[in-house]
Amino acid sequence: MRKIDLLIGLVIGIVTTIIGTILFLLLFTNFTKIEDIAIIRQEGILGKVITLGAILNILVFYILLKNNKELMARGVVLATIILAILTVIL
């Protein structure tokens, strides 16, 4: 068991969420610039957007399990839990 795999999975989960959030904003909303995040936060929907961006973690989790990378998959789950707590705080 390598503990570094858990950290790699955590980073993969957070990066995947960032990519998913950006894709959601570009494809399904009128927000086109990174500067629009301040507007999203003022409207109170930043947590919801982050949550929708985290949906890609399901796909990454499935791929890691199929490739027998259980510790990395745990890291993705840990990233999802951290993002859920962050969403509640926001």
Side-chain angles (χ1 to χ4, degrees), residues 12-83:
I12 289 172
I14 291 173
V15 168
T16 304
T17 301
I18 292 170
I19 292 170
T21 302
I22 291 171
L23 283 174
F24 175 76
L25 288 174
L26 292 176
L27 295 175
F28 299 111
T29 65
N30 295 329
F31 301 112
T32 57
K33 295 180 263 179
I34 299 299
E35 293 85 24
D36 292 337
I37 291 179
I39 298 169
I40 294 170
R41 187 162 186 191
Q42 287 175 351
E43 292 180 7
I45 58 172
L46 183 61
K48 296 172 187 172
V49 171
I50 292 172
T51 302
L52 288 171
I55 290 175
L56 284 181
N57 283 347
I58 297 170
L59 179 66
V60 172
F61 179 76
Y62 177 75
I63 291 169
L64 287 173
L65 283 181
K66 282 295 184 184
N67 291 326
N68 293 324
K69 304 284 185 182
E70 287 85 13
L71 269 177
M72 284 187 191
R74 285 185 194 175
V76 172
V77 171
L78 180 63
T80 306
I81 291 170
I82 290 171
L83 289 167

